[in-house]
């Protein structure tokens, strides 16, 4: 039974307060009829015995005290079917591609339940993104959540697209032994501009990726409050495809900063005690409820891998949004402004980047036996080179030792050869690691203290050193 | 979580309002901190505020779809844990519900609501061997018998601390469930293997003593420079990505405690899974048994309800205290206490309390110190000695140590392991900053190291510290003028300090051998570097140019000591080689 009231007492920002005489469930979905045929949806944020606070997804413009409020007696659900693949939906889950209505096989609550840590399976299957800065240095694995920390004016979208386009698991290339575990992309856009949206859509269409994608679009001019729904709809769809239908799902969420702004807006409208920089105190919990929906479940075929993108206000990674994100996700990929202005594509700064699940996803049988050592050595050598750059500015190259000069050359070549690969190059892990050895061989053997001696014997390029010293 | 057994059922109430994890009820007759069951699904909650007829409850489960008017049922008892055999090798959520049992009960990999399960298996029988016989006098806390709980640990059955004790009438060996009486007293009291204890209340002890034994962690930088005592407290603050969790895991794996309680408070789900999958396969370095045999895991991941996150550290420390009462050395790792503080903040803000610093409740400092004060080296009420060491990770926003959780923690703990993002970035692990960290236990633990490792341990360590300090000063000059502008002896110091950093302080947690380093090896690595130092400075004094002394063939082998299993032979040979190589130069 639908209870209907015309008892709105207060409208404030995205919130509507209404008096009620029968109890209403927390989180329940509400329809508000403005009287001229326009129906808005909202959700109960606070429920007491005599009034409720409702957050309206589509904005409160046009709602007045005579509008009627209907409580649907259930929480927000997502209509789920495998046919969602290839569809474009609005930020609140309605088709906007002109296609038919969704015929759901199942409707599921969008507030996902927490996965029992005991039922999870530890992610350790390497995903080859074809990007050396990620594969070689900060490897992504299935079931991981690895955000891209970027900022305004940087090509994070290109990188996300490149990953979506190229991502594959090496075993799939060789044989078709794990049939039924196909790859799908879920794209959740929150508050991005029409132009950015077009960029994504064009690329999806050009590469044929749309067929295996579900797109949720909340654009910059769509209501902000709707943004709190979009990622939940996207992740509910992802979980369904992954754990019920066996897909390996890559979820790209952009831009998490806009999502958090929407949280703040609601918090402010409810006159909550604000936390850091005005963001609500429960933002950590809220973000965790999104990010933690990545993973693998024991006994289930598929996986949910998340790549959330966020733009750091003022390039500041201590801002609450990147900060809280970093504490929840399993690492982060930094997009760097300096590298970008040097024309390096993709401008990944590997030093602050990190993949926490890397160590178990690489090595013999997964990538290559020398992967971990090579990565450690490159990190150490590149960090050394970076340090020396400051010094060179003061004393000049001549004042430095031979070895220091080699480190400097290493850092330069690392950026221009290893990281800079162009957005259309797809490098296999072998190519990436071989390139790593090419660069490391610029350094004398005994400087490679992070690499096992046997591996040095096997891979070290003897001629490279001579070449460089001959300069 | 403990089942309320003999609860005096009080009057029930009805829900008045719902806002996230905070629910208010009217007409409920409950005491502060009582456990209540909320709504028609019976979600577990705890009373956190009483104002007139309105009772405020924090709910440990998701409250979607709960509406005003639904009933609230009081249990009349505070949040308690079940204590008894069966806690080791277990994995709990924040209110001691076993996650494996929940999975089975719910039949789903997702955590459902309103499902409860006892903290220890009530059906399982255990082999009880009494240590008292009829006629013996026992008083509260006394051990009446043992149960071989796991191959590593004998579980001691004790008279509950709130019992008076009396004369034993009957005590028999045999197989019993945890609810069957194993010892009867003349007072009519029956002692069972299972007891309950409210989590927010410290278990009683005779007295707290000064700890004098180190908790050996097998990590060179910790044992060598910043040791923690058994019964001590330590904080590991660091920005994300600096290796807090790996350090905590290393401690949980290798610390020489009898029992490890690992509290994942707001941790990542995948990380908890790693612990669940890894630990059963690992061997306890002291006993050779499975590591899980001495471990109790509490996993309340970041997406699990926030109120349960607030309570999980109390659940953990209560379990730790219970094992301490048996005379064991217990190490508790809490990762991360910042998440716990944030849970307090979140609930406090829902209660519309006046916020203190950065939105945290004004009682933050009090709660933190209450928690850390439950650590210590104790003489128990049954006369045995046991300890609880607490190691808390702190996740300061933006890596800024001046924030309230870090600052309030530092006021209490005596060991500070500062993780450094800069070191982590260059993959110097464990990325513990040797200039910022400290341990106030150093002096009281030195006698142990002198007696059990080497008698010049304190002097050697001091040499290491001095060299690293000197390096830090020299580095500032190097940043300005370059290394080659320094005098020769300072260049050599820099080289020696580099080996201290790379061969001694760095340790590879993922290498099968290097992951654990016994104190003897920690000493020998340091000593080998000092050998190089002494020989090289002698040579320098004799006129050998510094370039030759920093470009030796044998010395880089120092960096490989960590991965050597037979390190004694390796180091003997290496020291001899270094000596002869240097002496050939003059």
């Amino acid at each position: 039974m639908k209870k209907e009231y015309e008892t709105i007492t207060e409208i404030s920002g995205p919130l509507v307060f209404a008096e009620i005489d029968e109890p209403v469930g927390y989180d329940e979905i509400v329809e508000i009829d403005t009287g001229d045929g326009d129906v808005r949806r909202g959700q109960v944020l606070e429920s007491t015995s005599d009034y409720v606070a409702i957050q309206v997804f589509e904005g409160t413009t046009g709602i007045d005290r005579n509008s009627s409020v209907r409580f649907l007696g259930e929480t927000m659900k997502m209509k789920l079917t495998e046919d969602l693949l290839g569809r474009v939906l609005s930020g609140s889950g309605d088709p906007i591609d002109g296609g038919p209505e969704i015929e759901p096989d199942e409707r599921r609550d969008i507030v996902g339940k927490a996965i029992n840590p005991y039922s999870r399976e530890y992610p350790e299957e390497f995903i080859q993104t074809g990007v050396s800065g990620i594969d070689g240095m900060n490897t992504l694995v299935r079931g991981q959540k690895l955000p891209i920390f970027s900022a305004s004016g940087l090509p994070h979208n290109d990188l996300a697209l490149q990953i979506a386009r190229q991502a594959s698991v090496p075993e799939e290339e060789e044989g078709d032994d794990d049939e039924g575990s196909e790859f799908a992309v879920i794209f959740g856009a929150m508050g991005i501009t029409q132009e950015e949206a077009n960029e994504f859509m064009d690329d999806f269409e050009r590469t044929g990726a749309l067929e295996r994608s579900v797109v949720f679009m909340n654009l910059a001019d769509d209501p902000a409050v709707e943004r709190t729904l979009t990622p939940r709809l996207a992740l509910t769809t992802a979980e369904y495809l992954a754990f019920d239908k066996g897909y390996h799902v890559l979820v790209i969420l952009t831009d998490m900063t806009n999502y958090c702004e929407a949280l703040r807006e609601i918090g402010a409208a409810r006159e909550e005690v604000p936390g850091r920089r005005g963001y609500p105190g429960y933002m950590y919990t809220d973000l965790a409820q999104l990010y933690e929906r990545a993973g693998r479940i024991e006994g289930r075929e598929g996986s949910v891998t998340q790549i959330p993108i966020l733009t750091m206000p003022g390039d500041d990674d201590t801002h609450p949004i990147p900060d809280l994100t970093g504490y929840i996700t399993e690492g982060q990929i930094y997009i760097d402004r300096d590298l970008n202005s040097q024309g390096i594509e993709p401008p990944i700064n590997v030093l602050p980047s990190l993949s926490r699940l890397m160590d178990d996803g690489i090595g013999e049988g997964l990538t290559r036996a020398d992967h971990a050592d090579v990565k450690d050595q490159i990190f150490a050598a590149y960090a050394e080179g970076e340090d020396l750059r400051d010094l060179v500015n003061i004393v000049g190259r001549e004042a430095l030792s031979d070895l220091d000069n080699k480190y400097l050359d290493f850092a330069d070549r690392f950026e221009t050869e290893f990281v800079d690969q162009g957005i259309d190059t797809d490098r296999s892990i072998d190519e990436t690691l071989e390139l790593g050895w090419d660069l490391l061989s610029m350094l004398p053997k005994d400087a490679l203290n992070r690499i096992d001696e046997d591996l040095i014997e096997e891979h070290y390029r003897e001629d490279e050193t001579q070449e460089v010293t001959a300069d | 979580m403990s089942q309320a057994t003999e609860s005096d059922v009080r009057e029930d109430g009805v829900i008045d309002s719902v806002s996230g994890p905070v629910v208010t009820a009217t007409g409920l007759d409950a005491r502060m901190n009582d456990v209540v069951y909320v709504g028609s699904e019976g979600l577990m909650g705890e009373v956190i505020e009483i104002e007139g007829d309105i009772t405020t409850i924090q709910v440990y489960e998701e409250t979607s779809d709960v509406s005003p008017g639904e009933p609230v049922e009081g249990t009349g008892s505070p949040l308690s844990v079940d204590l008894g055999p069966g806690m080791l090798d277990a994995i709990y959520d924040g209110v001691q519900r076993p996650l494996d049992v929940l999975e089975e009960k719910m039949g789903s990999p997702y955590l459902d609501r309103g499902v409860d399960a006892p903290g220890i298996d009530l059906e399982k029988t255990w082999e009880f061997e009494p240590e008292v016989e009829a006629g013996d006098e026992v008083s509260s806390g006394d051990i009446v018998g043992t149960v071989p709980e796991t191959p590593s640990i004998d579980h001691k059955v004790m008279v509950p601390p709130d019992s008076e004790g009396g004369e034993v009438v009957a005590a028999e060996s045999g197989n019993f469930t945890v609810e069957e009486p194993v010892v009867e007293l003349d007072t009519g009291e029956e002692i069972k293997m299972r007891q309950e204890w409210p989590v927010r209340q410290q278990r009683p002890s005779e007295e707290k003593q000064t700890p004098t034994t180190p908790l050996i962690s097998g990590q060179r930088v910790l044992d060598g420079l910043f040791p923690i005592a058994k019964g001590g407290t330590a904080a590991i603050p660091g920005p994300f990505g600096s290796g807090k969790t790996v350090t905590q895991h290393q401690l949980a794996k290798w610390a020489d405690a009898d029992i490890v309680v690992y509290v994942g408070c707001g941790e990542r789900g995948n990380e908890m899974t790693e612990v669940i999958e890894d630990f059963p396969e690992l061997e306890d370095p002291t006993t050779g048994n499975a590591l899980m045999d001495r471990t109790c895991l509490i996993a309340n991941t970041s997406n699990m309800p926030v109120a349960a996150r607030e309570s999980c550290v109390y659940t953990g420390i209560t379990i730790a205290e219970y094992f301490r009462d048996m005379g064991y050395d217990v190490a508790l790792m809490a990762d991360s206490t910042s998440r716990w503080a944030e849970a307090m903040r979140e609930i406090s803000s829902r209660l519309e309390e006046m916020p203190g610093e950065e939105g945290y409740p004004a009682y933050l400092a009090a709660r933190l110190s209450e928690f850390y004060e439950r650590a210590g080296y104790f003489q128990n009420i049954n006369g045995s000695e046991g300890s609880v060491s607490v190691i808390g990770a702190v996740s300061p926003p933006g890596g800024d140590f001046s924030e309230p959780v870090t600052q309030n923690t530092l006021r209490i703990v005596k060991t500070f392991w500062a993780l450094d993002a800069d070191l982590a970035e260059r993959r110097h692990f464990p990325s513990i900053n040797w200039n910022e960290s400290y341990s106030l236990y150093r002096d009281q633990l030195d006698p142990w190291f002198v007696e059990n490792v080497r008698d010049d341990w304190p002097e050697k360590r001091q040499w290491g510290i001095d060299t690293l300090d000197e390096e830090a000063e020299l580095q500032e000059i190097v940043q300005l003028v370059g290394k080659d502008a320094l005098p020769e002896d300072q260049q050599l110091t820099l080289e020696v300090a580099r080996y201290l950093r790379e061969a001694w302080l760095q340790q590879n947690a993922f290498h099968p051998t290097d992951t654990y380093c016994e104190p003897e090896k920690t000493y020998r690595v340091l000593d080998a570097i000092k050998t190089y130092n002494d020989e090289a400075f002698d040579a320098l004094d004799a006129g050998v140019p510094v370039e030759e002394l920093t470009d030796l063939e044998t010395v880089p082998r120092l960096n490989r000591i960590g991965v050597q299993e037979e390190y004694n032979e390796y180091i003997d040979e290496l020291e001899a080689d270094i000596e002869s190589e240097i002496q050939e130069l003059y």
Side-chain angles (χ1 to χ4, degrees):
Chain A
M1 188 204 77
K2 291 177 180 179
K3 298 165 256 181
E4 196 161 339
Y5 296 90
E6 281 185 24
T7 52
I8 294 178
T9 52
E10 187 186 335
I11 304 165
S12 147
L15 299 186
V16 167
F17 294 84
E19 283 175 356
I20 46 161
D21 49 20
E22 270 179 79
V24 171
Y26 176 71
D27 264 358
E28 202 168 288
I29 290 298
V30 184
E31 280 180 0
I32 298 178
D33 196 330
T34 56
D36 48 10
D38 191 9
V39 176
R40 311 279 173 80
R41 275 189 301 174
Q43 189 175 19
V44 175
L45 273 192
E46 190 178 343
S47 171
T48 72
S49 31
D50 28 74
Y51 75 93
V52 288
I54 301 160
Q55 124 187 0
V56 184
F57 300 131
E58 285 110 343
T60 46
T61 318
I63 298 180
D64 61 16
R65 291 183 52 194
N66 300 321
S67 303
S68 68
V69 180
R70 241 188 336 268
F71 296 96
L72 302 189
E74 62 167 20
T75 50
M76 186 75 181
K77 302 274 197 291
M78 174 71 199
K79 297 175 185 166
L80 294 168
T81 156
E82 220 171 328
D83 298 335
L84 279 171
L85 288 169
R87 301 297 302 269
V88 182
L89 311 173
S90 74
S92 40
D94 303 315
I96 50 167
D97 53 1
E101 277 297 307
I102 298 161
E103 297 289 334
D105 291 341
E106 203 179 325
R107 297 169 75 247
R108 207 173 278 181
D109 213 319
I110 65 158
V111 182
K113 292 176 191 148
I115 302 175
N116 187 334
Y118 186 79
S119 313
R120 279 181 187 266
E121 191 176 321
Y122 190 64
E124 43 197 4
E125 274 176 292
F126 163 66
I127 299 180
Q128 180 171 300
T129 63
V131 179
S132 296
I134 295 176
D135 291 350
M137 310 301 289
N138 299 288
T139 315
L140 178 68
V141 297
R142 271 181 180 165
Q144 186 173 14
K145 37 194 180 295
L146 189 65
I148 298 176
F149 281 14
S150 186
S152 321
L154 296 178
H156 40 266
N157 291 342
D158 293 335
L159 178 60
L161 277 171
Q162 187 173 11
I163 295 170
R165 213 165 42 229
Q166 299 177 350
S168 64
V169 174
E171 68 191 16
E172 280 182 356
E173 291 166 0
E174 287 157 23
D176 248 0
D177 50 342
D178 62 338
E179 44 197 291
S181 52
E182 282 173 79
F183 193 66
V185 176
I186 307 247
F187 180 69
M190 291 160 281
I192 63 170
T193 61
Q194 183 69 51
E195 254 174 74
E196 282 176 295
N198 290 346
E199 192 189 331
F200 275 102
M201 293 309 297
D202 290 349
D203 197 86
F204 283 156
E205 274 162 28
R206 178 171 66 86
T207 57
L210 192 59
E211 290 167 34
R212 52 185 180 107
S213 307
V214 188
V215 178
F216 293 84
M217 282 283 178
N218 168 288
L219 298 181
D221 54 353
D222 287 334
V225 180
E226 191 186 77
R227 276 162 216 164
T228 59
L229 277 187
T230 312
R232 294 191 163 81
L233 294 166
L235 287 165
T236 309
T237 312
E239 280 173 346
Y240 171 79
L241 290 176
F243 303 131
D244 290 55
K245 299 292 167 190
Y247 284 87
H248 288 294
V249 185
L250 179 69
V251 184
I252 299 174
L253 297 172
T254 181
D255 173 337
M256 289 308 293
T257 307
N258 295 333
Y259 171 82
C260 295
E261 300 289 345
L263 280 187
R264 178 161 70 174
E265 190 180 328
I266 296 163
R270 293 184 64 191
E271 297 175 5
E272 290 170 343
V273 180
R276 268 206 304 156
R277 300 217 190 174
Y279 292 97
Y282 49 81
M283 193 159 88
Y284 177 80
T285 308
D286 193 280
L287 287 174
Q289 280 167 353
L290 298 181
Y291 296 141
E292 277 292 337
R293 292 173 81 173
R296 306 208 60 175
I297 292 180
E298 214 160 303
R300 306 280 174 105
E301 192 71 37
S303 62
V304 176
T305 308
Q306 275 188 37
I307 302 190
I309 298 172
L310 51 92
T311 46
M312 301 183 283
D315 293 9
D316 173 15
D317 64 3
T318 65
H319 184 279
I321 300 172
D323 193 53
L324 295 180
T325 299
Y327 277 121
I328 305 165
T329 54
E330 284 131 359
Q332 65 279 332
I333 302 289
Y334 276 85
I335 304 279
D336 189 86
R337 202 172 286 281
D338 281 346
L339 292 178
N340 187 47
S341 62
Q342 286 168 40
I344 288 174
E345 269 181 357
I348 298 173
N349 186 355
V350 301
L351 287 180
S353 300
L354 172 75
S355 163
R356 290 166 185 274
L357 301 182
M358 174 170 196
D359 291 296
D360 293 297
I362 61 171
E364 206 157 4
L366 296 157
T367 55
R368 251 170 59 165
D370 56 337
H371 193 161
D373 286 1
V374 168
K375 168 208 66 160
D376 284 345
Q377 191 66 60
I378 293 181
F379 266 119
Y382 182 51
E384 182 86 39
E386 268 274 291
D387 273 358
L388 289 166
R389 282 180 179 163
D390 294 337
L391 187 56
V392 167
N393 289 335
I394 301 169
V395 298
R397 267 205 172 218
E398 297 72 28
L400 295 185
S401 69
D402 257 6
L403 183 62
D404 286 350
N405 272 305
K406 282 181 190 157
Y407 277 120
L408 279 170
D409 292 335
F410 177 87
D412 290 342
R413 282 186 62 191
F414 176 75
E415 285 168 4
T416 54
E417 293 175 32
F418 192 91
V419 180
D420 186 12
Q421 62 179 81
I423 54 166
D424 284 318
T425 312
D426 187 357
R427 275 191 199 146
S428 74
I429 184 65
D430 258 326
E431 288 172 278
T432 295
L433 291 177
E434 288 307 318
L435 188 57
W437 277 107
D438 286 347
L439 298 178
L440 286 176
S441 300
M442 296 165 68
L443 302 170
K445 265 187 196 175
D446 58 13
L448 304 184
N449 57 354
R450 310 273 179 123
I451 306 183
D452 193 86
E453 274 154 339
D454 297 341
L455 291 172
I456 297 183
E457 285 315 311
E458 192 183 332
H459 295 281
Y460 191 78
R461 322 258 193 268
E462 295 292 346
D463 46 336
E464 292 269 338
T465 353
Q466 283 146 18
E467 214 178 281
V468 175
T469 29
D471 278 347
Chain B
M1 136 74 194
S2 147
Q3 310 285 295
T5 40
E6 48 209 294
S7 55
D8 47 322
V9 175
R10 295 173 155 224
E11 207 170 305
D12 296 343
V14 286
I15 299 179
D16 182 56
S17 74
V18 187
S19 166
V22 173
V23 167
T24 60
T26 51
L28 182 71
D29 177 22
R31 285 170 300 203
M32 193 67 175
N33 294 108
D34 271 4
V35 169
V36 293
Y37 290 98
V38 174
S40 38
E41 287 182 80
L43 310 181
M44 203 171 110
E46 184 181 356
V47 174
I48 50 171
E49 196 177 86
I50 299 174
E51 198 185 333
D53 189 35
I54 309 259
T55 309
T56 307
I57 300 156
Q58 62 174 353
V59 182
Y60 294 119
E61 298 177 76
E62 183 67 44
T63 52
S64 269
D65 226 8
V66 172
S67 51
E70 290 185 32
V72 180
E73 189 190 325
T75 62
S77 51
L79 182 64
S80 304
V81 284
D82 281 326
L83 300 167
M87 291 192 296
L88 297 176
D89 199 4
I91 163 162
Y92 295 121
D93 78 350
V95 286
Q96 212 209 5
R97 296 184 300 178
L99 288 170
D100 48 347
V101 177
L102 289 186
E103 183 190 52
E104 208 178 297
K105 273 194 161 180
M106 294 169 182
S108 142
Y110 296 101
L111 289 169
D112 239 316
R113 311 192 295 190
V115 181
D116 208 344
I120 52 179
D121 193 336
L122 303 178
E123 318 274 294
K124 188 171 175 180
T125 58
W126 299 90
E127 198 186 318
F128 175 78
E129 189 58 50
E131 283 192 357
V132 289
E133 48 191 49
D136 287 357
E137 276 296 326
V138 292
S139 58
S140 62
D142 281 356
I143 293 165
V144 295
T146 58
V147 171
E149 184 175 353
T150 66
S152 316
I153 297 296
D154 275 338
H155 192 104
K156 304 197 170 133
V157 180
M158 296 173 288
V159 180
D162 46 8
S163 147
E164 290 290 313
E167 192 187 310
V168 176
V169 183
E172 273 175 62
S173 62
N175 289 308
F176 300 97
T177 69
V178 293
E179 298 223 279
E180 285 170 327
V182 289
V183 171
E184 279 173 45
L185 304 182
D186 63 346
T187 56
E189 194 180 2
E190 294 174 333
I191 312 257
K192 299 167 190 160
M193 286 189 242
R194 166 177 170 277
Q195 39 176 287
E196 273 179 34
W197 193 261
V199 296
R200 291 180 203 278
Q201 191 182 335
Q202 181 169 8
R203 282 175 70 87
S205 63
E206 199 62 46
E207 74 167 323
K208 203 166 173 174
Q209 299 174 338
T210 306
T212 51
T213 324
L215 182 74
I216 297 297
S217 63
Q219 309 303 305
R220 286 188 289 272
V221 58
L222 305 186
D223 294 342
L225 287 180
F226 312 110
I228 174 177
K230 284 195 172 115
T233 50
I236 319 181
F240 59 80
S242 58
K244 272 187 305 295
T245 300
V246 176
T247 310
Q248 289 275 40
H249 285 192
Q250 284 297 94
L251 285 163
K253 285 176 190 168
W254 308 121
D256 69 339
D258 300 313
I259 306 280
V260 170
V261 179
Y262 190 91
V263 184
C265 176
E267 255 214 273
R268 301 173 178 88
N270 282 331
E271 269 172 7
M272 272 335 289
T273 308
E274 186 189 9
V275 173
I276 298 167
E277 284 184 13
D278 269 11
F279 277 31
E281 286 167 27
L282 291 168
E283 229 176 61
D284 179 350
T286 38
T287 61
N289 296 320
L291 204 56
M292 272 313 278
D293 286 346
R294 61 157 199 183
T295 310
C296 173
L297 294 174
I298 295 169
N300 208 81
T301 57
S302 55
N303 55 339
M304 281 156 74
V306 64
R309 196 190 311 154
E310 194 270 332
S311 68
C312 68
V313 295
Y314 294 108
T315 302
I317 195 123
T318 309
I319 293 174
E321 283 175 345
Y322 175 67
F323 281 107
R324 172 209 76 193
D325 284 347
M326 299 180 201
Y328 288 119
D329 290 316
V330 188
L332 177 124
M333 282 90 197
D335 186 10
S336 142
T337 57
S338 293
R339 303 292 157 244
W340 169 47
E342 276 162 18
M344 276 189 246
R345 173 168 73 182
E346 197 171 323
I347 290 160
S348 158
S349 99
R350 299 253 187 199
L351 290 176
E352 297 178 357
E353 290 175 340
M354 184 70 76
E357 212 180 334
E358 288 194 22
Y360 286 102
Y363 46 79
L364 172 74
R367 291 278 172 90
L368 280 170
S369 44
E370 253 168 41
F371 169 67
Y372 281 104
E373 266 306 286
R374 288 174 77 169
Y377 194 93
F378 290 92
Q379 192 183 350
N380 297 321
I381 49 174
N382 57 22
S384 64
E385 286 182 6
S387 67
V388 175
S389 319
V390 174
I391 297 150
V394 185
S395 320
D400 169 16
F401 290 173
S402 68
E403 58 91 40
V405 182
T406 315
Q407 283 308 311
N408 284 313
T409 304
L410 287 185
R411 289 219 303 270
I412 314 154
V413 301
K414 292 183 80 177
T415 309
F416 172 53
W417 297 324
L419 293 172
D420 186 329
D422 211 40
L423 292 173
E425 231 173 65
R426 57 186 70 219
R427 301 316 189 246
H428 172 115
F429 286 120
S431 58
I432 292 169
N433 185 312
W434 52 92
N435 293 316
E436 280 181 46
S437 306
Y438 59 79
S439 166
L440 301 178
Y441 295 112
R442 226 185 242 166
D443 294 336
Q444 72 204 59
L445 296 178
D446 272 350
W448 186 93
F449 283 107
V450 167
E451 194 180 320
N452 292 283
V453 191
R454 293 296 175 93
D455 50 15
D456 61 344
W457 174 283
E459 290 78 36
K460 285 275 158 59
R461 181 188 59 212
Q462 197 53 46
W463 168 78
I465 296 171
D466 291 345
T467 310
L468 289 167
D469 279 351
E470 195 177 343
E471 187 204 23
E473 278 167 33
L474 293 176
Q475 283 296 355
E476 282 173 25
I477 306 172
V478 170
Q479 289 297 324
L480 294 174
V481 298
K483 202 192 248 166
D484 294 343
L486 291 181
E488 290 202 322
D489 59 328
Q490 293 185 345
Q491 288 187 39
L492 188 55
T493 302
L494 283 179
E495 184 73 0
V496 172
R498 189 169 68 84
Y499 282 108
L500 280 176
R501 284 188 282 114
E502 291 180 359
W504 195 49
L505 297 180
Q506 284 188 25
Q507 193 169 345
N508 185 349
F510 299 100
H511 189 281
T513 308
D514 202 19
T515 185
Y516 176 78
C517 182
E518 56 190 18
E520 172 72 14
K521 188 173 174 185
T522 298
Y523 174 88
R524 290 222 59 186
V525 179
L526 179 60
D527 196 39
I529 300 169
K530 182 139 194 316
T531 305
Y532 164 56
N533 174 77
D534 295 351
E535 291 294 327
F537 272 98
D538 283 351
L540 194 69
D541 287 343
V544 179
V546 72
E547 293 78 36
E548 288 182 29
L549 293 168
T550 55
D551 193 28
L552 299 169
E553 274 196 8
T554 51
V555 185
R557 274 160 52 200
L558 284 171
N559 283 333
R560 309 227 177 250
I561 304 177
V563 300
Q564 305 301 325
E565 212 160 325
E566 304 297 328
Y567 62 90
N568 274 316
E569 291 78 357
Y570 185 90
I571 295 175
D572 288 343
E573 195 185 324
L574 175 59
E575 285 182 340
D577 288 353
I578 291 177
E579 276 168 34
S580 63
E581 192 187 2
I582 292 180
Q583 272 157 19
E584 271 168 30
L585 297 173
Y586 63 102

